[in-house]
Amino acid sequence: MATNTLPSRSLLAAPAQHPGLRLGTSLRLSLSLSHHNQPADDPERRRAPVGSHPAFSRGNRAKKIPVPTTGEPAAGIRVTDRGLAYHLEGAPFEFQYSYTEAPRARPVALREAPFLPFGPEATPRPWTGRKPLPKSRKELPEFDSFVLPPHGKKGVKPVQSPGPFLAGMEPRYQAASREEVLGEPLTRDEVAVLVKGNLKAKRQLNMGRDGLTHNMLENIHAHWKRKRVCKIKCKGVCTVDMDNVCQQLEEKVGGKVIHRQGGVIFLFRGRNYNYRTRPVFPLMLWRPAAPMYPRLVKTVPDGLTSDEATQMRKRGRQLTPICKLGKDVYFPCMLL
């Protein structure tokens, strides 16, 4: 019995048996050549550039504005040895964008005309931020730390009561000064209990390269609204001088640093803290441009000429580096 065998076609056949492959290659080659031979675009047919917002145009901004020697640059703004300070009537202290990372040197020039960054009415340039949210129709009562919602109520987050209070100690509802809000000093056992309850807490406030900014003051009070201790984790440049960070926190916010571990700070709100009577600060809706400060490293050191300084820099580039400073979160070598 004869069997008819069909010719089998191999997928690895020679290119001559598949003219489609050769056609595809030639087609791609012709397309690439035609693409290179296309004439250049007519400049008249190009689209005209869309005009950007005047707030982002560089031509309208002054690159260098000298600091006036007499008087202040604007109402409510002072040029101090720590940069620009904003003074509002009735405020307990002068506001700054950053309270910890401001250089301790008087600015030599300003990058733009100074203004109060607390609202669109105070800015001399077009407002590019979002529109303010409409006022809520519901008139909610102000949160009171001494009048807490019932325990276990549905839809209410857990809130810690004021304290802790020792035996025979009564809470002060009308505490005004910082000493009255803090109350009696905490004992070692009370500090250990407060720190232990917040060591593994995920709710924390991160402090970055700008340090303690003005808007973080309100964020700390938002943490104190429900918990006695605010956990602050410092990252980056602000970890170099942790003593200054702790000092500014206690002066500006009014709490007490009860524990510090590396770059983590535990800030206690006080025994008699009441969220209702907290100091309310206006928020900065616009980040002011940093002024120009004098050079930290002189172009020509004292005792050398310009040519000698240039020759020493050329010799220094040929030296072998002692160590390599990487981009890390913390600076342990500077803390030792």
Side-chain angles (χ1 to χ4, degrees), residues 1-315:
M1 183 175 177
T3 59
N4 297 329
T5 59
L6 298 176
S8 61
R9 295 182 179 181
S10 175
L11 296 176
L12 301 177
Q17 299 179 1
H18 297 276
L21 293 177
R22 190 169 59 252
L23 180 62
T25 307
S26 60
L27 181 61
R28 289 195 300 269
L29 198 60
S30 62
L31 287 176
S32 62
L33 291 175
S34 62
H35 176 71
H36 287 292
N37 295 332
Q38 286 181 357
D41 296 340
D42 189 2
E44 297 181 357
R45 299 179 58 184
R46 295 180 182 176
R47 288 185 177 182
V50 181
S52 60
H53 197 277
F56 300 100
S57 60
R58 298 184 178 181
N60 298 337
R61 296 187 180 182
K63 296 183 179 180
K64 186 175 181 181
I65 302 176
V67 178
T69 55
T70 60
E72 300 301 335
I77 302 177
R78 290 197 319 113
V79 180
T80 63
D81 294 339
R82 297 183 62 87
L84 291 178
Y86 308 97
H87 177 73
L88 298 181
E89 186 177 357
F93 51 86
E94 292 182 341
F95 300 146
Q96 291 180 331
Y97 175 75
S98 178
Y99 297 102
T100 58
E101 302 306 319
R104 298 181 180 180
R106 186 176 180 84
V108 295
L110 304 177
R111 300 181 187 273
E112 62 179 2
F115 60 92
L116 294 175
F118 300 106
E121 297 83 6
T123 57
R125 54 190 177 185
W127 177 252
T128 57
R130 296 181 179 180
K131 295 182 179 180
L133 297 177
K135 188 177 181 181
S136 178
R137 297 181 180 179
K138 298 181 180 180
E139 295 184 1
L140 300 177
E142 186 70 19
F143 183 85
D144 197 332
S145 301
F146 287 88
V147 183
L148 301 180
H151 182 70
K153 185 178 180 180
K154 185 178 180 181
V156 178
K157 297 181 180 179
V159 183
Q160 292 183 352
S161 60
F165 299 106
L166 299 176
M169 185 184 302
E170 297 182 357
R172 298 181 181 179
Y173 184 78
Q174 299 293 339
S177 62
R178 177 175 179 268
E179 290 74 15
E180 294 178 354
V181 174
L182 292 177
E184 298 295 331
L186 296 174
T187 61
R188 291 186 177 181
D189 297 336
E190 291 175 339
V191 172
V193 172
L194 292 174
V195 173
K196 185 178 180 180
N198 293 274
L199 276 176
K200 298 182 180 180
K202 296 182 180 179
R203 182 181 173 87
Q204 66 182 16
L205 187 64
N206 296 327
M207 186 181 298
R209 62 180 181 181
D210 291 338
L212 178 61
T213 57
H214 176 75
N215 290 349
M216 288 182 63
L217 304 181
E218 184 65 24
N219 295 339
I220 294 175
H221 285 285
H223 282 256
W224 282 347
K225 180 179 180 179
R226 302 189 179 277
K227 301 193 69 175
R228 297 174 179 175
V229 177
C230 177
K231 181 181 178 182
I232 304 174
K233 188 171 184 180
C234 304
K235 302 178 180 180
V237 184
C238 59
T239 58
V240 176
D241 193 357
M242 292 296 297
D243 294 336
N244 182 35
V245 174
C246 295
Q247 179 184 356
Q248 295 297 329
L249 281 172
E250 293 182 352
E251 290 181 359
K252 300 301 185 293
V253 190
K256 179 68 176 179
V257 177
I258 58 176
H259 185 67
R260 192 180 83 186
Q261 182 178 357
V264 182
I265 299 175
F266 297 88
L267 190 63
F268 177 58
R269 65 182 182 180
R271 298 181 185 269
N272 305 304
Y273 176 81
N274 191 359
Y275 182 80
R276 184 176 183 179
T277 59
R278 76 190 188 282
V280 180
F281 306 115
L283 298 179
M284 285 191 180
L285 305 181
W286 200 297
R287 179 176 179 175
M292 298 181 181
Y293 293 95
R295 290 179 176 269
L296 296 178
V297 180
K298 296 182 179 180
T299 306
V300 179
D302 297 336
L304 297 178
T305 61
S306 179
D307 296 338
E308 292 175 348
T310 304
Q311 293 296 331
M312 294 189 67
R313 291 191 184 94
K314 291 181 179 179
R315 295 177 183 177

